[in-house]
Amino acid sequence: MSQPAASTADRHPMPGMMVYNVKLGMWIFLLSEVMFFTALIGSYIILRFAHPDHFAEPGAVLNVPLTAFNTFVLICSSVSMVKAYAAITQGDQKGLRFWLLVTILLGTFFVGVQVYEYIILAREGFVPMVELYGVAHEIEGAALYGATFYTMTGFHGTHVTIGILCMWFVLYRAWQGKYSADNYGAVEIMGLYWHFVDLVWIILFTIVYLI
């Protein structure tokens, strides 16, 4: 078997399928994630309409401008991920490493701002615990608001953190020259995951911070 054929063997689709095995596996995984996040968001919407007195108006408690900027940063990380993918499809090793590193730094910045937001909110009494909610300062809403907020944003933040760790591994292999214009399946899979967490955050930001 020639070298190019060997390097692209892992991306050969199964008979009758349009995608190769690993990519199909990632799509199935993301589908399960869609169902999980849909359940979380659906529960939040139902609780918010059922108990409007437990939730504050958008912007009354949460820092919308800060999170809007953070959302912009995460969207930029999707662009840099696309640039990394485009680079390796053209055999640009240096470009792949550079844009992967940019994506990692932007993702890390996003998580850092989210942690900073949690610290500020906790100091103001916006916590998920019933007995501690609003103890530090008088705050709108009730513990149900804090519980749903931290559950959804925390679960998403965990996904971003896992994505960053996985991307460090992809970057490590990129430094070893494991990827090429004929072998970039891992970069493509990583890009699918990263775009998914970005898309989920845009939906969460709209529902939790703006509506």
Side-chain angles (χ1 to χ4, degrees):
M1 183 181 291
S2 65
Q3 182 60 32
S7 61
T8 58
D10 64 328
R11 292 189 294 112
H12 282 172
M14 295 174 61
M17 303 296 292
M18 300 298 292
V19 297
Y20 53 95
N21 291 355
V22 179
K23 190 174 182 179
L24 177 62
M26 177 54 76
W27 278 117
I28 294 174
F29 170 73
L30 294 181
L31 181 61
S32 69
E33 291 290 282
V34 167
M35 291 188 287
F36 201 98
F37 275 105
T38 300
L40 283 178
I41 294 172
S43 299
Y44 173 83
I45 293 174
I46 291 173
L47 289 172
R48 184 160 186 168
F49 277 96
H51 305 282
D53 54 316
H54 287 220
F55 292 82
E57 292 296 320
V61 177
L62 306 177
N63 191 333
V64 177
L66 175 65
T67 309
F69 175 74
N70 212 24
T71 301
F72 173 74
V73 170
L74 195 61
I75 292 173
C76 289
S77 74
S78 255
V79 175
S80 60
M81 189 68 229
V82 170
K83 299 286 286 184
Y85 174 75
I88 194 56
T89 58
Q90 299 173 4
D92 182 2
Q93 300 284 344
K94 186 177 179 180
L96 169 66
R97 295 192 293 267
F98 174 77
W99 289 114
L100 279 177
L101 182 60
V102 170
T103 306
I104 290 171
L105 293 177
L106 291 174
T108 303
F109 180 87
F110 173 85
V111 174
V113 170
Q114 194 170 40
V115 171
Y116 170 77
E117 182 186 25
Y118 282 4
I119 293 172
I120 298 300
L121 288 173
R123 287 176 178 172
E124 295 175 349
F126 186 70
V127 293
M129 292 79 79
V130 176
E131 65 277 9
L132 297 178
Y133 189 91
V135 172
H137 302 279
E138 185 175 349
I139 191 169
E140 291 187 34
L144 182 60
Y145 186 23
T148 53
F149 169 80
Y150 285 107
T151 299
M152 290 193 298
T153 58
F155 191 69
H156 176 269
T158 301
H159 277 69
V160 175
T161 303
I162 292 173
I164 292 170
L165 294 176
C166 291
M167 210 170 304
W168 272 116
F169 178 71
V170 174
L171 179 60
Y172 170 73
R173 288 179 59 83
W175 276 106
Q176 292 182 320
K178 298 292 185 181
Y179 308 117
S180 67
D182 297 316
N183 179 24
Y184 52 83
V187 179
E188 185 177 25
I189 297 302
M190 191 68 248
L192 285 175
Y193 178 85
W194 196 252
H195 296 321
F196 171 77
V197 295
D198 283 11
L199 178 61
V200 169
W201 177 254
I202 292 173
I203 297 172
L204 283 179
F205 173 69
T206 303
I207 294 175
V208 176
Y209 287 83
L210 300 181
I211 298 178

